[in-house]
Amino acid sequence: MTSPFIFLRPLFISVIIPVILGIVIYQLDSFDPAPYPTHIFSTDPPMLVPKRNNQMLRGSEKIGVNELLSPEDVAYDQNSGVIYTGCVDGWVKKVKVNESAADSTVEDWVFTGGRPLGLALGIHGEVIVADADKGLLLNVTSEGEIKVLTEEAEGLKFKLADAVDIADDGAIYFSDASYKYKFKDYIYDFLEGRPYGRLLSYDPSTKQTRTLLSELYFANGVAVSPDQNYVIFCETPLRKCQKYYIKGERKGTVDMFVDNLPGYPDNIRYDGEGHYWIAFATEKTYSWDLAQRYPFIRKIMAIFVKYVGQPKAEKNGGVLSVDLQGNPVEHYYDEDLTMVSSGIKIGDHLYCGSVKSRYILRLNLKQNPAVQTS
């Protein structure tokens, strides 16, 4: 007579054993996510943008294919017509763009030996570089000489030096996205849900580094306002950018700049024409909303990333333009576009950096405009 338990054997092997192993791993793993602030949870849809182009890949061009490996930030020198970008191979590169994308040239300019992320053009021809892997803020002279400006603030070293901008008086403002996790492990910062980010400043005249704000959630893009009164900084998992006042009666205080963004913001750049451009790696997703609400889901995700790999769930990456008051103006994105990390309007074109692609994306805005939404 056949034992009835023989029919349970496949179920035991394929379902019960993996479940038991999963429970054991969950209990033994030390990863301990925290609750996110409850005020970020909203059932409201993301902001409405008056104009949009949701097929920006259709009219785009690729600059420096296979020469620009994950060009995270894009900084433009209008005097020389050169774009600077930092790549995953450790090089800060010069890109000379031409009318034809195929005729653009790429030059290996400076090798930092780390992972150059944020870039800003200095007031004396230098380029300021935030190197995430090395946890350094660097000054690169016009001759290509690298000098370390700072590596810590108030005894706490940078772990993920991220975005940077420079005021007219030479003061440097930058973010340390996380003082716990390095760039290669940034996903764990999101999953842990604790505010390890900082907004910082460096004064070249005194060589003093100050922590302006701490306990930020993955402090990211940084941009000094054109009137020099405040610095805008983004907190990626919270889908918002705020203003930190650096002058006037409100110096040292914080205001909201733009909230309820349609995606998770990375770099923010001012175009000199009355608009900021905010890059998104991906749109707001239901799965991440759910994970933010429930720490146990983020722990499961962290275990999955650790033992299997990071799942690919991003879509509709792109760039949003807002005016000086933070009001949305135009949104450029595409369902198949992901991990956009920076965007800046130069002339008639939008140039986009990425932590994933092997090129800079360029879109002619006159030929491919955002159109009025219904």
Side-chain angles (χ1 to χ4, degrees), residues 68 76 101 161 245 276:
L68 299 173
Y76 178 62
Y245 289 88
Y276 294 96

Side-chain angles (χ1 to χ4, degrees), residues 99-317:
E99 185 173 342
S100 169
D103 293 334
S104 300
T105 60
V106 177
E107 173 191 345
D108 291 343
W109 182 49
V110 169
F111 182 67
T112 71
R115 194 355 172 159
L117 290 182
L119 306 170
L121 302 175
I123 60 178
H124 302 296
E126 72 276 22
V127 177
I128 305 301
V129 180
D131 191 302
D133 279 357
K134 290 197 169 185
L136 299 174
L137 189 68
L138 306 173
N139 179 309
V140 184
T141 68
S142 56
E143 291 77 29
E145 180 185 358
I146 299 176
K147 300 178 181 178
V148 176
L149 296 179
T150 179
E151 61 179 353
E152 65 178 30
E154 299 165 14
L156 185 60
K157 291 191 174 183
F158 314 141
K159 202 82 167 186
L160 209 168
D162 196 338
V164 60
D165 200 8
I166 303 176
D168 290 346
D169 61 4
I172 301 171
Y173 298 90
F174 62 106
S175 60
D176 183 23
S178 175
Y179 62 76
K180 180 176 180 179
Y181 294 101
K182 287 193 172 184
F183 182 69
K184 66 181 180 64
D185 297 321
Y186 77 91
I187 188 62
Y188 293 109
D189 187 279
F190 285 65
L191 295 175
E192 185 174 336
R194 288 185 170 86
Y196 296 125
R198 295 177 286 173
L199 177 67
L200 308 118
S201 67
Y202 176 80
D203 186 338
S205 61
T206 63
K207 303 188 186 320
Q208 181 183 14
T209 306
R210 294 178 54 222
T211 300
L212 304 178
L213 293 172
S214 59
E215 297 188 355
L216 301 177
Y217 289 88
F218 206 84
N220 213 320
V222 174
V224 180
S225 65
D227 63 9
Q228 305 294 295
N229 285 333
Y230 56 85
V231 175
I232 297 173
F233 64 95
C234 302
E235 289 181 276
T236 302
L238 305 191
R239 293 190 299 111
K240 70 180 182 180
C241 303
Q242 299 188 85
K243 298 190 293 188
Y244 177 87
Y245 289 88
I246 56 177
K247 289 183 179 179
E249 294 181 355
R250 300 205 59 191
K251 183 177 180 179
T253 64
V254 178
D255 260 350
M256 185 63 67
F257 177 64
V258 60
D259 199 4
N260 196 27
L261 290 164
Y264 300 96
D266 198 318
N267 282 300
I268 177 171
R269 285 210 168 263
Y270 181 64
D271 64 6
E273 300 176 354
H275 295 93
Y276 294 96
W277 296 80
I278 306 171
F280 301 117
T282 181
E283 68 174 359
K284 177 183 185 293
T285 63
Y286 175 74
S287 59
W288 180 241
D289 281 352
L290 201 63
Q292 283 186 299
R293 287 177 181 271
Y294 302 107
F296 81 90
I297 294 180
R298 283 184 273 121
K299 179 165 183 174
I300 293 172
M301 293 172 68
I303 292 171
F304 187 90
V305 170
K306 182 177 180 180
Y307 294 102
V308 180
Q310 187 172 336
K312 307 299 180 184
E314 302 89 359
K315 65 176 183 177
N316 286 322

